[in-house]
């Protein structure tokens, strides 16, 4: 009887996949910067948070996102709470988009993503530059936003595959 | 029109205020919490400082352990590249060594002369070096900094110079109990008073966010000098923050504003944190 209630390990693995990847990403500052291609960098965490909070928010809690933001601030050296605020802004947009969307489609999601990362990066630059007086390179932020936008479809495909696996496993 | 506004309000309330089944906090609560954290982290109260240091300690240590596989892959990659270039490097090093041996003789003479002159004016510079291991080096595209494994327990203070071999790489900007953050020279917010030698001109070297620096300010024009002399940038020691004479980099001949740093900030494994004290009886 107890075996019926016990979730197999693979179910747990898929359930915790977004959170595990999120924390590995923030601890490793995962942005492919080490490829040493000039100007090349993208924000994997923004893609991850946007996708999972839009498609399956039950597997990526807001509290985890808040904690991941704090960790990111400490690692990168940003003012404490700034990344959490930016990540939660992404969650706000995805929560709103999820509520107003009746039939989701990829192009709408992608365009919403562009709007979201432009908003989030603008807010971050404004806070850093105008409030904390930390000089930042606007061009780098813009290029980072561009690459993040371009890479969204690739990760959308991968995460969508994992998401379907989670849904199937949980319904088994 | 009213229906449209109602839809917006309903969607907004649902998105921000309602907790979903598996969410422990509403989005709005956490947004306010993050704003509160941003505001509080800027106050210099003792309790906030202690909490911040605690968070930093835990996160830096965790990041160090979680980054072990990534760092291992990076070091294997670097080792393979080094092996591939072994013979070419050997040839270059052989000629460099010969040149250095010749230069060493004249440097020894200059050192002795310098010591004698310092004795004449009764001035002595005492400096201590503390070896530190680089814990976190994330090469963020926006902020250039590293975290090292020495903190207040090793008497590290904010503003101390950090060097790689003999070359300046940055300064300490944040100190925790067992670790500290170093702002690299390449960061946009780094400004170092420098001396351009052999023309003897004071300058301010600023980071650019890239792997080179920039001459932000000089007292006089130096375009003509650079065409005939190779210019090396040293710390000037002005402001009393850094010891004078720490090599920073060379000025590029093709772009006279560009400073090529001697040290490669992407390859830092161990650094030395320098404290110095000028004693004078005059």
């Amino acid at each position: 009887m107890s075996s019926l209630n016990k979730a197999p390990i693979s179910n747990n693995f898929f359930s915790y996949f977004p959170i595990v990847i999120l924390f590995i990403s923030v601890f490793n500052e995962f942005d492919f910067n080490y490829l040493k291609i000039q100007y090349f960098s993208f924000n994997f965490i923004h893609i991850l948070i946007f996708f999972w909070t839009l498609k399956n928010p039950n597997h990526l809690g807001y509290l985890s996102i808040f904690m991941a933001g704090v960790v990111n601030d400490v690692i990168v050296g940003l003012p404490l709470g700034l990344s959490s605020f930016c990540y939660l802004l992404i969650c706000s947009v995805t929560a709103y988009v999820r509520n107003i969307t009746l039939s989701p489609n990829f192009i709408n999601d992608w365009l919403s993503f562009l709007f979201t990362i432009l908003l989030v990066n603008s807010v971050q630059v404004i806070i850093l530059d105008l409030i904390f007086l930390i000089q930042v390179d606007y061009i780098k932020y813009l290029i980072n936003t561009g690459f993040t936008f371009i890479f969204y479809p690739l990760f959308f495909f991968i995460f969508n595959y994992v998401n379907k696996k989670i849904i199937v496993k949980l319904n088994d | 029109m009213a229906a449209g506004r109602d839809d917006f309000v309903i969607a907004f309330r649902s998105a921000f205020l309602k907790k979903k089944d598996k969410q422990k906090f509403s989005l709005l609560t956490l947004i306010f919490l993050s704003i509160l954290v941003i505001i509080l982290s800027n106050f210099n109260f003792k309790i906030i400082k202690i909490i911040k240091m605690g968070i930093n300690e835990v996160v830096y240590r965790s990041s160090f352990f979680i980054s072990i596989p990534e760092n291992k892959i990076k070091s294997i990659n670097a080792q393979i590249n080094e092996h591939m270039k072994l013979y070419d490097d050997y040839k270059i090093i052989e000629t460099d060594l010969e040149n250095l041996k010749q230069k060493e003789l004249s440097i020894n003479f200059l050192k002795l002369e310098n010591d004698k002159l310092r004795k004449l004016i009764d001035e002595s510079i005492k400096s201590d070096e503390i070896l530190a291991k680089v814990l976190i080096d994330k090469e963020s595209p926006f902020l250039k900094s590293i975290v090292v494994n020495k903190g207040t327990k090793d008497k590290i203070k904010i503003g101390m110079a950090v060097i790689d071999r003999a070359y300046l790489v940055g300064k300490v900007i944040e100190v925790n109990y067992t670790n500290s953050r170093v702002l690299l020279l390449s960061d946009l917010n780094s400004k170092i008073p420098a001396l351009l030698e052999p023309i003897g001109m004071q300058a301010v070297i600023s980071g650019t966010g890239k792997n080179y620096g920039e001459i932000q300010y000089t007292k006089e024009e130096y375009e003509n000098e650079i065409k005939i002399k190779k210019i090396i940038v040293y710390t000037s020691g002005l402001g009393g923050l850094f010891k004078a004479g720490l090599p920073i980099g060379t000025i590029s001949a093709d772009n006279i504003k560009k400073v090529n740093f001697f040290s490669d900030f992407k390859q830092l494994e161990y650094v030395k944190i320098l404290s110095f004290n000028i004693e004078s009886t005059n």
Side-chain angles (χ1 to χ4, degrees), chain B residues 73-122:
Chain B
I73 294 167
K74 275 188 198 170
S75 76
I76 290 170
N77 189 31
Q79 276 176 4
I80 292 168
N81 285 338
E82 272 176 23
H83 271 282
M84 302 296 267
K85 301 189 291 180
L86 204 63
Y87 183 73
D88 293 340
D89 284 351
Y90 167 73
K91 282 285 166 201
I92 297 165
I93 289 166
E94 203 179 20
T95 41
D96 281 355
L97 183 68
E98 195 50 47
N99 292 337
L100 287 172
K101 275 180 181 170
Q102 289 165 18
K103 275 186 186 169
E104 199 188 6
L105 293 170
S106 55
I107 288 170
N108 283 342
F109 172 74
L110 288 172
K111 263 187 182 172
L112 289 169
E113 194 181 51
N114 193 28
D115 287 345
K116 275 181 198 164
L117 290 170
R118 280 197 188 282
K119 268 184 193 166
L120 272 177
I121 58 167
D122 280 336

Side-chain angles (χ1 to χ4, degrees), chain A residues 31-50:
Chain A
D31 54 9
F32 285 99
N33 231 2
Y34 52 80
L35 292 177
K36 294 187 174 64
I37 303 168
Q38 206 185 5
Y39 291 113
F40 176 77
S41 74
F42 71 94
N43 204 324
F44 173 74
I45 300 159
H46 284 181
I47 299 176
L48 184 98
I49 293 173
F50 184 87

Side-chain angles (χ1 to χ4, degrees), chain B residues 220-269:
Chain B
E220 300 151 48
E221 297 299 316
Y222 60 98
E223 281 94 344
N224 296 328
E225 307 272 359
I226 203 161
K227 284 173 191 157
I228 43 170
K229 288 170 190 162
K230 187 190 175 189
I231 293 181
I232 297 177
V233 184
Y234 297 93
T235 51
S236 67
L238 284 180
L241 203 59
F242 295 143
K243 187 176 155 184
L246 295 173
I248 296 174
T250 53
I251 293 182
S252 173
D254 54 317
N255 180 356
I256 58 159
K257 288 257 175 217
K258 188 174 166 184
V259 178
N260 295 313
F261 297 123
F262 284 126
S263 185
D264 181 0
F265 301 149
K266 288 171 184 165
Q267 305 283 334
L268 299 174
E269 274 188 61

Side-chain angles (χ1 to χ4, degrees), chain A residues 28 33 62 74 96 135 140, chain B residues 8 23 70 139 181 189 209:
Chain A
N28 281 302
N33 231 2
Y62 294 142
V74 174
Y96 181 73
Q135 259 188 295
K140 278 194 175 174
Chain B
F8 173 78
Q23 305 287 5
E70 190 196 357
E139 292 171 29
R181 184 176 287 277
N189 301 284

Side-chain angles (χ1 to χ4, degrees), chain A residues 11-157:
Chain A
N11 279 15
N12 277 335
F13 170 77
F14 280 111
S15 303
Y16 290 111
F17 172 83
I19 292 180
V20 172
I21 295 292
L22 175 69
F23 277 94
I24 289 177
S25 311
V26 289
F27 274 114
N28 281 302
E29 196 50 33
F30 181 62
D31 54 9
F32 285 99
N33 231 2
Y34 52 80
L35 292 177
K36 294 187 174 64
I37 303 168
Q38 206 185 5
Y39 291 113
F40 176 77
S41 74
F42 71 94
N43 204 324
F44 173 74
I45 300 159
H46 284 181
I47 299 176
L48 184 98
I49 293 173
F50 184 87
F51 179 88
W52 288 100
T53 53
L54 183 69
K55 297 290 175 189
N56 201 343
N58 287 337
H59 290 90
L60 192 60
Y62 294 142
L63 189 65
S64 318
I65 293 169
F66 174 81
M67 297 305 288
V70 172
V71 171
N72 189 64
D73 289 332
V74 174
I75 300 274
V76 178
L78 293 170
L80 212 60
L82 182 62
S83 295
S84 301
F85 179 66
C86 291
Y87 293 168
L88 291 167
L89 269 187
I90 298 178
C91 299
S92 319
V93 177
T94 53
Y96 181 73
V97 170
R98 209 173 47 242
N99 276 306
I100 59 162
T101 309
L102 290 175
S103 53
N105 74 63
F106 170 72
I107 298 295
N108 279 350
D109 291 353
W110 200 14
L111 290 176
S112 312
F113 180 64
L114 178 65
F115 166 77
T116 312
I117 52 173
L118 280 172
L119 172 81
V120 166
N121 282 339
S122 310
V123 168
Q124 189 165 345
V125 167
I126 289 167
I127 294 176
L128 282 176
D129 212 348
L130 300 182
I131 299 175
F132 289 97
L133 305 174
I134 297 173
Q135 259 188 295
V136 288
D137 191 337
Y138 298 129
I139 302 294
K140 278 194 175 174
Y141 263 92
L142 207 60
I143 293 169
N144 183 279
T145 307
F147 277 120
T148 311
F149 173 66
I150 291 167
F151 275 93
Y152 181 75
L154 173 72
F155 288 103
F156 176 88
F157 177 75

Side-chain angles (χ1 to χ4, degrees), chain B residues 26-245:
Chain B
S26 79
L27 199 48
L28 204 64
T29 314
L30 288 170
I31 288 177
F32 279 128
L33 185 63
S34 54
I35 293 170
L36 192 73
V37 172
I38 296 175
I39 296 165
L40 284 180
S41 65
N42 284 296
F43 288 113
N44 261 344
F45 299 137
K46 202 178 174 186
I47 183 80
I48 294 170
K49 263 187 180 174
I50 292 168
I51 293 169
K52 251 173 97 174
M53 274 170 79
I55 295 171
N56 289 351
E57 292 282 348
V58 173
V59 173
Y60 290 156
R61 294 282 157 185
S62 314
S63 176
F64 176 68
F65 287 113
I66 291 171
S67 305
I68 287 173
E70 190 196 357
N71 291 338
K72 200 77 197 159
I73 294 167
K74 275 188 198 170
S75 76
I76 290 170
N77 189 31
Q79 276 176 4
I80 292 168
N81 285 338
E82 272 176 23
H83 271 282
M84 302 296 267
K85 301 189 291 180
L86 204 63
Y87 183 73
D88 293 340
D89 284 351
Y90 167 73
K91 282 285 166 201
I92 297 165
I93 289 166
E94 203 179 20
T95 41
D96 281 355
L97 183 68
E98 195 50 47
N99 292 337
L100 287 172
K101 275 180 181 170
Q102 289 165 18
K103 275 186 186 169
E104 199 188 6
L105 293 170
S106 55
I107 288 170
N108 283 342
F109 172 74
L110 288 172
K111 263 187 182 172
L112 289 169
E113 194 181 51
N114 193 28
D115 287 345
K116 275 181 198 164
L117 290 170
R118 280 197 188 282
K119 268 184 193 166
L120 272 177
I121 58 167
D122 280 336
E123 184 188 87
S124 65
I125 297 178
K126 281 185 184 169
S127 67
D128 290 318
E129 290 177 353
I130 302 158
L131 189 70
K133 184 179 165 57
V134 177
L135 284 181
I136 304 174
D137 171 16
K138 290 299 173 196
E139 292 171 29
S140 162
F142 311 117
L143 296 171
K144 308 284 179 191
S145 63
I146 54 170
V147 175
V148 294
N149 71 339
K150 292 282 158 46
T152 45
K153 80 176 169 81
D154 306 288
K155 293 176 183 160
I156 304 294
K157 287 176 190 154
I158 289 178
M160 279 183 169
V162 179
I163 56 170
D164 167 33
R165 289 157 293 164
Y167 311 129
L168 184 75
V169 293
K171 66 175 176 185
V172 177
I173 54 161
E174 177 194 281
V175 188
N176 302 308
Y177 184 61
T178 62
N179 48 52
S180 344
R181 184 176 287 277
V182 176
L183 187 76
L184 296 174
L185 296 178
S186 55
D187 190 275
L188 269 174
N189 301 284
S190 162
K191 313 272 182 251
I192 305 289
L195 190 66
L196 312 183
E197 288 290 6
I199 54 176
M201 193 178 290
Q202 304 280 353
V204 173
I205 307 297
S206 165
T208 56
K210 301 179 183 86
N211 55 355
Y212 58 84
E214 198 175 66
I215 295 182
Q216 200 178 36
Y217 167 79
T218 51
K219 250 182 161 179
E220 300 151 48
E221 297 299 316
Y222 60 98
E223 281 94 344
N224 296 328
E225 307 272 359
I226 203 161
K227 284 173 191 157
I228 43 170
K229 288 170 190 162
K230 187 190 175 189
I231 293 181
I232 297 177
V233 184
Y234 297 93
T235 51
S236 67
L238 284 180
L241 203 59
F242 295 143
K243 187 176 155 184

